[in-house]
């Protein structure tokens, strides 16, 4: 082995390597006396696909590994983001720590910790000495994903979780700015909720891929179903009402989530153009299908709780997309017909013509005549115009709740409509 040309101080080594996050696992087995033993390992890695090999790297001075290396089988427990407490328990030196955790024997007999993200069942192979560590190779027997949530990470001396959404810090900044903007619309949504006996809310972008409810008001018999700060996905076909007024770069990103099928992209672009041209989005509920509605609400709640792995999130969003046709997009309303409106949405535009926030009405009276729906739309768009006047520094601009409203389109909306033939 070539001698190192420089000497790295241990403190410097730890400082630099501390900028690289590592996953947290607990390697478990049975010692010579048949007692369960486990050690927390942040140096676990995959090694080979054929044959399937993994490895973990304990220190050569580890007394726990001195006992663990005699085990005939190991279970690699990949900890979840909410198992920092379990990690601390397993890191302790107490002889009875397994009495404080839930576990069961793995197929090979090693302790398998409850609620871990994944379990990798393996047997020890070669232990290679490498400096002050061993590279313990293990031959994989079976492996399973046991819980579709994000893993626990160790980073710069602390434990935390993994966010599958990019640009997290930027997203938090956008959310704070959005919450401040929502205050400009509070009076308007409170008035709408009281006058119409419904739910009125302000939606803002939490980040590039999610909306959140930034303010909400309830009138009449409307129930509090959605909590402030709960996040909703903006991935096709979800988020159309917001994306209709988003910048082109954001629309391109949104469309990319729909895949590479040109017909799907064309359909989505057409829907956005129609919403832009109308100046609002309206969702009419189809005839009651309680099971479908409940399933969709359950999936929305599951998404809002967070902690999903990217794969689990993709699966959940695909299922939500299948169920979304429970609502059909409406645009024209006949005075002589009745409608069950699931939601009405219109944008508040910034001075550059892009969306700043979305105003939404929900829990509207069922089986309402078309003339009432038209009145709701007029009231909603007038409220948005009033908020825009404040946002643009013109608070004295007239905002008649029943009078005509100006077109609410982006500067490029005419061209966008022509592009998709609408």
């Amino acid at each position: 082995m070539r001698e190192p040309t420089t000497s790295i101080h241990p403190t410097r080594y730890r400082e630099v390597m501390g900028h690289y996050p590592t996953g947290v696992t607990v390697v478990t087995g049975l010692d010579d006396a048949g007692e369960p033993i486990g050690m927390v390992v942040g140096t676990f890695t995959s090694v080979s696909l054929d044959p399937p090999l993994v490895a973990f790297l304990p220190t050569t001075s580890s007394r726990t590994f001195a006992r663990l290396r005699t085990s005939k089988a190991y279970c690699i427990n990949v900890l979840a983001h909410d198992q920092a407490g379990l990690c601390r328990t397993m890191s302790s030196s107490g002889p009875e720590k397994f009495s404080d955790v839930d576990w069961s024997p793995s197929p090979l007999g090693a302790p398998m910790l409850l609620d871990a993200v994944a379990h990798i069942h393996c047997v020890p192979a070669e232990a290679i000495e490498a400096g002050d560590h061993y590279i313990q190779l293990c031959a994989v027997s079976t492996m399973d994903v046991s819980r579709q949530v994000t893993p626990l990470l160790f980073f710069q001396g602390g434990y935390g979780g993994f966010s599958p959404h990019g640009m997290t810090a930027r997203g938090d900044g956008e959310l704070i700015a959005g919450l401040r903007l929502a205050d400009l619309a509070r009076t308007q949504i409170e008035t709408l909720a009281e006058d119409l006996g419904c739910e009125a809310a302000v939606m803002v972008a939490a980040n590039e891929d999610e909306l959140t409810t930034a303010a909400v008001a309830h009138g009449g018999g409307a129930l509090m179903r959605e909590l402030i700060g709960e996040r909703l996905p903006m991935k096709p076909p979800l988020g159309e009402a917001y994306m209709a007024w988003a910048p082109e770069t954001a629309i391109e990103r949104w469309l990319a989530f729909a895949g590479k099928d040109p017909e799907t992209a064309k359909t989505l672009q057409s829907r956005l153009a129609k919403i832009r041209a109308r100046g609002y989005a309206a969702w009419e509920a189809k005839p009651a299908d309680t099971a479908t509605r409940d399933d969709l609400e359950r999936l929305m709640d599951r998404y809002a709780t967070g902690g999903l792995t990217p794969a689990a999130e993709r699966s959940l969003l695909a299922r939500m997309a299948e169920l979304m046709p429970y609502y059909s997009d409406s645009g024209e309303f006949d005075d002589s017909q009745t409608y069950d409106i699931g939601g009405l949405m219109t944008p508040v535009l910034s001075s550059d013509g892009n969306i700043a926030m979305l105003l939404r009405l929900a829990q509207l009276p069922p089986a309402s005549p078309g003339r009432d729906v038209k009145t709701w739309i007029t009231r909603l768009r007038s409220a948005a115009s009033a908020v825009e006047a404040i946002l643009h520094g013109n608070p004295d601009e007239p905002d008649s709740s029943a009078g005509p409203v100006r077109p609410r389109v982006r500067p490029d909306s005419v061209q966008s409509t022509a592009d998709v033939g609408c």
Side-chain angles (χ1 to χ4, degrees):
M1 180 181 297
R2 183 172 62 88
E3 291 295 324
T5 57
T6 61
S7 177
I8 305 296
H9 193 277
T11 301
R12 183 61 173 168
Y13 183 91
R14 293 190 182 96
E15 177 189 357
V16 173
M17 296 307 295
H19 284 74
Y20 178 69
T22 60
V24 183
T25 63
V26 176
V27 181
T28 58
L30 301 177
D31 65 13
D32 287 337
E35 294 296 322
I37 185 169
M39 65 183 301
V40 175
V41 174
T43 52
F44 168 75
T45 183
S46 61
V47 175
S48 169
L49 183 62
D50 184 17
L53 295 173
V54 295
F56 63 95
L57 284 66
T59 61
T60 55
S61 59
S62 171
R63 287 180 293 178
T64 302
F65 181 64
R67 293 175 57 202
L68 186 63
R69 69 183 305 177
T70 64
S71 179
K72 294 181 172 60
Y74 296 140
C75 179
I76 313 294
N77 301 266
V78 180
L79 297 192
H81 68 278
D82 55 3
Q83 290 185 304
L86 173 60
C87 176
R88 285 189 287 270
T89 297
M90 297 305 299
S91 297
S92 68
S93 57
E96 303 297 328
K97 61 185 176 184
F98 273 89
S99 64
D100 297 327
V101 301
D102 293 321
W103 64 276
S104 60
S106 74
L108 299 179
M112 187 168 62
L113 303 181
L114 183 68
D115 288 337
V117 172
H119 297 99
I120 301 166
H121 311 293
C122 52
V123 296
E126 184 180 3
I128 304 169
E129 191 168 346
D132 56 6
H133 280 67
Y134 290 113
I135 302 173
Q136 176 61 64
L137 293 171
C138 306
V140 178
S141 173
T142 59
M143 56 201 315
D144 299 288
V145 174
S146 305
R147 187 176 168 213
Q148 285 274 15
V149 297
T150 52
L152 181 66
L153 297 181
F154 183 78
F155 180 63
Q156 294 189 349
Y159 294 103
F162 163 74
S163 171
H165 305 293
M167 302 295 287
T168 303
R170 176 183 171 190
D172 289 343
E174 290 175 347
L175 177 57
I176 292 170
L179 291 172
R180 290 173 178 167
L181 280 176
D183 281 337
L184 302 180
R186 193 172 300 278
T187 298
Q188 292 294 332
I189 64 169
E190 289 175 351
T191 300
L192 286 171
E194 181 179 354
D195 291 352
L196 304 182
C198 67
E199 175 190 88
V202 182
M203 308 294 294
V204 300
N207 53 53
E208 291 179 315
D209 303 322
E210 294 176 314
L211 289 174
T212 191
T213 304
V216 65
H218 299 84
L223 303 175
M224 187 178 294
R225 293 178 176 172
E226 199 166 290
L227 300 177
I228 300 296
E230 282 191 348
R231 302 196 179 200
L232 305 172
M234 275 199 297
K235 293 179 181 177
L238 307 174
E240 286 182 332
Y242 190 93
M243 279 296 154
W245 286 274
E248 289 302 325
T249 53
I251 293 175
E252 290 173 4
R253 174 181 169 81
W254 183 77
L255 290 171
F257 285 113
K260 298 181 179 180
D261 179 27
E263 287 303 314
T264 299
K266 184 177 180 180
T267 298
L268 291 170
Q269 287 173 325
S270 176
R271 291 173 65 89
L272 296 183
K274 289 177 181 178
I275 293 172
R276 271 199 306 271
R278 285 197 303 264
Y280 65 89
W283 298 96
E284 180 187 357
K286 290 183 177 179
D289 180 348
T290 302
T292 300
R293 182 189 62 219
D294 290 348
D295 197 15
L296 183 57
E297 289 181 355
R298 179 182 60 79
L299 294 172
M300 288 286 194
D301 290 342
R302 179 70 189 92
Y303 181 90
T305 60
L308 294 169
T309 63
E313 180 181 302
R314 286 193 296 270
S315 176
L316 184 146
L317 290 173
R319 179 60 179 151
M320 288 168 65
E322 292 175 1
L323 296 178
M324 281 306 292
Y326 171 76
Y327 293 103
S328 58
D329 186 23
S330 302
E332 303 299 329
F333 300 99
D334 189 325
D335 289 351
S336 63
Q337 300 293 321
T338 59
Y339 301 89
D340 290 323
I341 300 298
L344 294 173
M345 287 152 281
T346 198
V348 171
L349 302 180
S350 59
S351 57
D352 61 5
N354 292 317
I355 188 166
M357 63 185 100
L358 193 68
L359 302 191
R360 184 193 65 193
L361 299 181
Q363 299 188 58
L364 293 156
S368 295
R371 62 179 176 275
D372 287 353
V373 179
K374 292 177 182 178
T375 298
W376 299 339
I377 293 170
T378 299
R379 289 291 305 272
L380 181 63
R381 297 180 71 193
S382 293
S385 293
V387 177
E388 278 186 9
I390 299 172
L391 180 62
H392 300 169
N394 303 306
D396 297 328
E397 182 177 307
D399 62 276
S400 170
S401 61
V405 294
R406 57 188 170 80
R408 306 180 55 70
V409 297
R410 275 191 340 202
D412 63 346
S413 62
V414 175
Q415 179 63 41
S416 298
T417 303
D419 287 346
V420 294
C422 296

